[in-house]
Amino acid sequence: MDNQIGSTIENGLSNWQILQKSKDGYAKFHLNGRYFGDENCQIDIRVLNEATGTHRNPWNSFEVNTDETWEAELYVKSGGLYRLETRLLTASGETNEWSKRGDMRHFWGVGDVWVIAGQSNSAGYGRGSYQDPAELGVHLFKNNEQWALATHPMNDSTNTKHPVNRETSNPGHSPYLQFGRILQHALNHPIGLVQTALGGSSLNRWNPKEEGASDLYENMLRCIKLSGGSIKGILWYQGESDVGTETASSYATRFTDAVASWRNALNNPELPIITVQLNRVLGRPEAGLGWSIMREAQRKVAKEDKKIAIVPTLDLPLSDSIHTSPSGNMLLGERLAHAALDLTNEKEEEYSAPNVEKITYISKQRIEIYFSHVHSYLNCIDPQLDMFLIEDEIGQIPTTNIHFPNNASIQIALSRQPKGNLKVSCGWGSSPSPLAVDMERRMPILSFHSVLVQ
């Protein structure tokens, strides 16, 4: 502060920051700082277009305090990127651009802010080359608690201020730069991302209603507050650390509790949550039951809560045994963005993956599975169609024929007549066979587990 003149900004806005717009399309925020002059002066503030220098608003004047401080409240329409300028008008009467200088803030905007939460596939563990460059208007609140242009790896721990989610190795590529890019182009306003994920983290660290420290939950709330205090929603990709049979079986209840806690803490009972149904894992066939139970829990939670969306991943390539590759992340980012547009009512998007609605008997040895959200027709690229596990009280029933009688259903002929309750799973196991897809969109059906035949 030595040898300062004019006005300085101390709190309220950072370079590169994205402010969450309200429902009316504006952001209200508070600024304060210091001035270096007599009491007979005023602080002027204006907002300009960063790229062109054109004035978004005329100068707004604010009175100063007697203790050489000033404060202001601004109301700015969604858009950007903006530059904020301040100046000091003194008693000597400067009224033009040659008045006393003031601090500025650059490359900030008003749009939507999304929190990135979950474990490694959310932190970004994709390995390999990619064409996914940084883009002005997609910005990141980094682990050093500063806003910056969003770049990979997003969970970079350089100069971290919260080592609770520091990775032990450098992460790689994630789906969220692509997510932000598509949203910015669709909505014509900037997108902010707040990275809070941690590889290997289990749900109890995000859920204050479970035993344990819930340290990642606390860190997420801290980052939201420091990044501006208001968000559009949460991007959640997690579950690989909870695929044990017991933890997977309780996942739906525990995740519902976690979401309720997030919404309560953020005072938003309808906070949108975009979730991801787990991709495959290689080399763990013995863990198939837990992975199947987990995917079913994720599917059911999203079906029961209209403010939770889910996107499929089982068609996406891996870069190792468990992490989605950069090419897979690009498609996942696109799916997440379209889900966000639809869930938040920003645009009508046909994002929803085909989802089982009911399974009925056609005859004693033939069943039909009906799906919602089919926009073209269902089919499968695998000629073997080995995607179903069908069980009764005796055990597994092999299939003799599978075909697609109409656009939105699948018929299955059974090798014997079932005894007792009949249950159907699709995409069973840790690394399932290819699933049927909505062909024109190339959107795979959501995996499901032990759905009772009516």
Side-chain angles (χ1 to χ4, degrees), residues 132-203:
D132 193 16
E135 180 168 315
L136 284 173
V138 182
H139 300 175
L140 177 69
F141 188 72
K142 302 182 71 173
N143 289 328
N144 64 4
E145 297 179 354
Q146 299 292 321
W147 280 96
L149 189 65
T151 59
H152 298 295
M154 291 192 177
N155 208 29
D156 169 23
S157 297
T158 302
N159 297 323
T160 184
K161 295 292 183 66
H162 40 80
V164 64
N165 75 317
R166 179 170 54 202
E167 302 288 347
T168 56
S169 299
N170 287 334
H173 186 269
S174 81
Y176 303 115
L177 186 50
Q178 172 78 331
F179 167 84
R181 178 187 297 111
I182 292 174
L183 283 190
Q184 179 178 222
H185 293 178
L187 300 174
N188 199 32
H189 61 233
I191 301 298
L193 302 168
V194 180
Q195 172 60 269
T196 68
L198 175 65
S201 57
S202 53
L203 179 58

Side-chain angles (χ1 to χ4, degrees), residues 140-317:
L140 177 69
F141 188 72
K142 302 182 71 173
N143 289 328
N144 64 4
E145 297 179 354
Q146 299 292 321
W147 280 96
L149 189 65
T151 59
H152 298 295
M154 291 192 177
N155 208 29
D156 169 23
S157 297
T158 302
N159 297 323
T160 184
K161 295 292 183 66
H162 40 80
V164 64
N165 75 317
R166 179 170 54 202
E167 302 288 347
T168 56
S169 299
N170 287 334
H173 186 269
S174 81
Y176 303 115
L177 186 50
Q178 172 78 331
F179 167 84
R181 178 187 297 111
I182 292 174
L183 283 190
Q184 179 178 222
H185 293 178
L187 300 174
N188 199 32
H189 61 233
I191 301 298
L193 302 168
V194 180
Q195 172 60 269
T196 68
L198 175 65
S201 57
S202 53
L203 179 58
N204 67 328
R205 297 184 66 182
W206 300 91
N207 182 14
K209 294 187 178 181
E210 291 189 60
E211 292 184 4
S214 62
D215 51 350
L216 293 174
Y217 162 80
E218 297 292 343
N219 182 65
M220 179 174 69
L221 296 184
R222 167 188 166 85
C223 290
I224 292 171
K225 181 179 180 180
L226 292 174
S227 65
S230 182
I231 63 170
K232 185 69 171 182
I234 294 176
L235 300 162
W236 178 254
Y237 192 162
Q238 192 275 338
E240 297 94 335
S241 290
D242 289 83
V243 293
T245 304
E246 182 177 346
T247 50
S249 298
S250 63
Y251 190 88
T253 298
R254 295 185 296 119
F255 181 60
T256 299
D257 287 344
V259 169
S261 298
W262 303 344
R263 288 170 170 166
N264 182 63
L266 297 171
N267 195 29
N268 184 353
E270 294 190 341
L271 180 73
I273 314 291
I274 314 293
T275 64
V276 180
Q277 193 175 49
L278 291 188
N279 201 345
R280 66 186 68 251
V281 60
L282 305 178
R284 302 186 193 176
E286 75 287 348
L289 178 60
W291 286 78
S292 298
I293 294 172
M294 172 60 70
R295 294 193 190 101
E296 175 67 4
Q298 294 170 324
R299 186 187 72 88
K300 280 189 172 181
V301 168
K303 196 167 187 178
E304 293 168 0
D305 188 324
K306 299 306 180 185
K307 286 297 181 178
I308 297 179
I310 187 167
V311 299
T313 61
L314 281 171
D315 60 330
L316 302 182

